[in-house]
Amino acid sequence: MKINTLFYTVFFSLIILQGFAQRAKVASADKQYDQYAYVDAIATYERVAEKGYKDEKMFQKLGNAYYFNAELYKAVKWYDELFIMNKDQESEYYYRYSQCLKSVGDYAKADKMLEEFNKKSGNDKRAKLYMSHKNYLEEIKANSGRYNIENAGINSEFSDYGSSFSGNKLVFTSARDTGGISKKVFKWTNQSFTNLYSSDVKQNGVLGEPTLFSKNINSKFHESTPVFTKDGTTMYFTRNNYLDGKKGKDSKRIVLLKIYKATKRNNKWVNVIALPFNSDEFSVAHPALSPDEKTLYFASDMPGTLGQSDLFKVSINLDGSYGRPENLGATINTEGKETFPFITDDNNELYFSSDGRPGLGGLDIFVAKVEKDNLFKEIHNVGSPVNGPQDDFAFLIDNKSKNGFFTSNRDGGLGYDDIYKFTETKKLTCEQVLAGIITDQETALVLPESKVSLFDEKFQIIKEYISDDKGYYTFEVDCGRTYYVRVEKREYLTKEVPVIIEKITGKTDLSLALEKRTKPIQIGTDLAKTLNIPIIYFDLDKSFIRKDAAFELEKVVAVMKQNPNMYIDVRSHTDSRQTQQYNKELSEKRAKSTIAWMIKQGIESSRLTGKGYGETQLINKCADGISCTEQEHQANRRSEFIIISM
């Protein structure tokens, strides 16, 4: 941007300022349904865990069960075990663990867990920028092609930039030489110092011949970037540190920038004053007004700036005084330069220029959605043809006509910087819907009246939805954000999953299947399936109980102790390798080994029968002479636990 050379001098330095847990409603373990009895999965896990068995997923489920039911002090026990077993957990477990630790007064450890959560959830700004803008050229391409642009028709061979609407006029900055008795030249560019000019905006959008804006405002130094109140009686503008014939300098004797205010009386601009938050030691420039005219946005390198220059805001009080300037924060500002803010007249969007974000050139124009609480959503590059390989800045748009102006030093212009006019043909919007169907994990039947909760990346509740009669739920969500979806329903285990929303308009499907907390059993039920016990228990040619098998078998023992009238038939199977006779004998040994282990755990021998079936009941194609993978063969080495009496 050639305006850099205008402002960086020994006289004048311009920074181009340019659930928590929701209570899960679950059925009690002893609820009965007609002729069925029910197994409480969590109670079973707890009995197994109390016997000293350790399993990571089991500890997750136990901790979650109490966390989602708001019994945080009980969840601590199982989250303790989880992190002792494996400290490398997904980010949400650090958050849950932290909340639970606070419930027992362990704030020091809770804070450590929160620190880890922040690291895990990607709070490092550099990592976030990298991840969110990894394919930034594709994102910019998707945003491009929404403007028809052309030369504004008011440019000179000098620098013209920084326009603003005032009634039916466009007021802008220019270094053009309009003559006069006293001609003051900016030595670094051999151009005149910039002044404010205005052009009539005609009905067809054509701009009239530029004229000097106001002798009372234009001084012998630089004036630029004005903004006006709607009634046209007050203006804010940027000028060198110069007022009433006095020039102010910083400690290095450099003249910086300040924002000034002027009022209009009898058709003249008078009472020029410097705003109270200006300073001789830093620059303040490029004012922009909120639609209600209660907030002034600007760019500055004042103390508290995150980068070379940041965007700030300050409240304008009813008595004419000003609040304390506030940095717009890391959502907007980077380690680079943020400058030239502009707020749309519906207060929905903030436009600004930045060289601290991935873009097409030096300064690119970006836009951020303004939230209801005046915070800002994720930043978007407005794309080409507004942005290009050079500097693009000073964006201005009339929301009603969709016409506007911006400044660029791109090739093909008339001067150093030129003003271009544009028409917006398509709004830059990314609209996403998150939706899905809630079903039963076992039966695949839809689950109406399921409570679906939407959380942000910090687990703050956003919205809740009750699934309809088809199990369907839907949320309007923001593009490019991470959310957590939690589903709760009576008699089912609560389920919570993260989801990343794409950065393009569309629909994100997240259908979830819930596991029943209490599961029906009857004569003929295979407890291995009911308890989600893996079908692989035995190594090749072996009949001893592996450690992982012992953990799974303990679930069957727990259920049998809970149901003393239950009798089980243990059925052991092998793969097809080896001879049929060998496999028959091996499966018999495995059945006997399983029964013997269960008897040692306290189950009466009279309640257990068993038989080995060898390779006679394969569950896949892997019979003799057929080539199969090791995984396919392992699937056939299994045990079943069939209820024969209750």
Side-chain angles (χ1 to χ4, degrees), residues 224-237:
S224 68
T225 55
V227 65
F228 301 85
T229 56
K230 293 174 183 176
D231 63 8
T233 62
T234 302
M235 71 175 291
Y236 299 88
F237 64 98

Side-chain angles (χ1 to χ4, degrees), residues 45 48-49 53-62 551:
Y45 273 122
V48 173
Y53 288 91
K54 297 183 182 298
D55 179 80
E56 187 173 346
K57 290 189 179 298
M58 177 180 69
F59 291 145
Q60 288 176 346
K61 288 185 177 181
L62 285 170
F551 165 66

Side-chain angles (χ1 to χ4, degrees), residues 161-162 171-174 194-198 211-214 217-218 223-226 228 235-238:
Y161 70 97
V171 183
F172 63 97
T173 308
S174 181
T194 59
N195 284 317
L196 299 182
Y197 290 77
S198 67
T211 59
L212 274 170
F213 175 66
S214 169
I217 297 299
N218 290 326
E223 282 79 32
S224 68
T225 55
F228 301 85
M235 71 175 291
Y236 299 88
F237 64 98
T238 306

Side-chain angles (χ1 to χ4, degrees), residues 349-361:
E349 293 173 320
L350 167 69
Y351 288 87
F352 64 97
S353 291
S354 173
D355 65 0
R357 300 175 176 277
L360 297 178

Side-chain angles (χ1 to χ4, degrees), residues 320-331:
S321 62
Y322 299 85
R324 183 176 180 178
E326 299 177 40
N327 191 299
L328 293 193
T331 302

